[in-house]
Amino acid sequence: MMHSNESAENYLETILILGQKHPVVRSVDIATELDFKKPSVSVAMKKLRQNGHIVVSPEGYITLTESGREIAERIYERHTLLSDWLTRLGVDPKVAVEDACRIEHVISAESFEAIKKHIN
């Protein structure tokens, strides 16, 4: 079972990524992207909405709020940087992405900044 915070971060990151590729993002797009069932995505969207991380239009279009975008961008930056770094270290790209997905949620801001400085 995914930690609820990790799950929320994953959803927000997915909305951010889909928003870069598509003009609008809907629950069904998120379900397809993550290969989750639509009901579980709907429950998650309701939580994110209650926490003020997303806004859902009457047509069902999902938009990140300022707080939602902040979290999504932080996780996405971690994801991108960590997977690139692992790949450069010789890790298989597919494994690097999977590991980055796990690390990005649990690494402290301090450790991530240290890695970022070291890489750059």
Side-chain angles (χ1 to χ4, degrees), residues 1 17-18 22-23 33-34 36 40 45 47 65-68 72 78 80 87-89 95 104 113:
M1 176 84 189
I17 294 166
L18 287 171
H22 307 285
E33 180 75 15
L34 295 173
F36 288 166
S40 30
M45 291 309 110
K47 261 200 203 109
T65 61
E66 205 176 314
S67 69
R78 288 178 173 194
T80 314
T87 306
R88 284 204 309 248
L89 291 176
V95 175
E104 69 196 26
E113 286 309 315

Side-chain angles (χ1 to χ4, degrees), residues 8-55:
E9 290 173 348
N10 254 348
Y11 277 117
L12 293 169
E13 182 187 19
T14 302
I15 295 166
L16 178 75
I17 294 166
L18 287 171
Q20 293 168 347
K21 291 189 270 192
H22 307 285
V24 294
V25 179
R26 297 158 313 170
S27 279
V28 61
D29 304 319
I30 298 165
T32 307
E33 180 75 15
L34 295 173
D35 199 20
F36 288 166
K37 300 228 178 323
K38 198 165 175 317
S40 30
V41 173
S42 298
V43 169
M45 291 309 110
K46 186 174 178 221
K47 261 200 203 109
L48 290 175
R49 201 177 64 232
Q50 288 166 342
N51 293 334
H53 294 317
I54 62 169
V55 177

Side-chain angles (χ1 to χ4, degrees), residues 71-86:
I71 296 167
E73 285 175 348
R74 186 182 73 230
I75 296 297
Y76 187 59
E77 181 198 18
R78 288 178 173 194
H79 179 88
T80 314
L81 192 125
L82 291 167
S83 55
D84 289 353
W85 182 51
L86 290 168

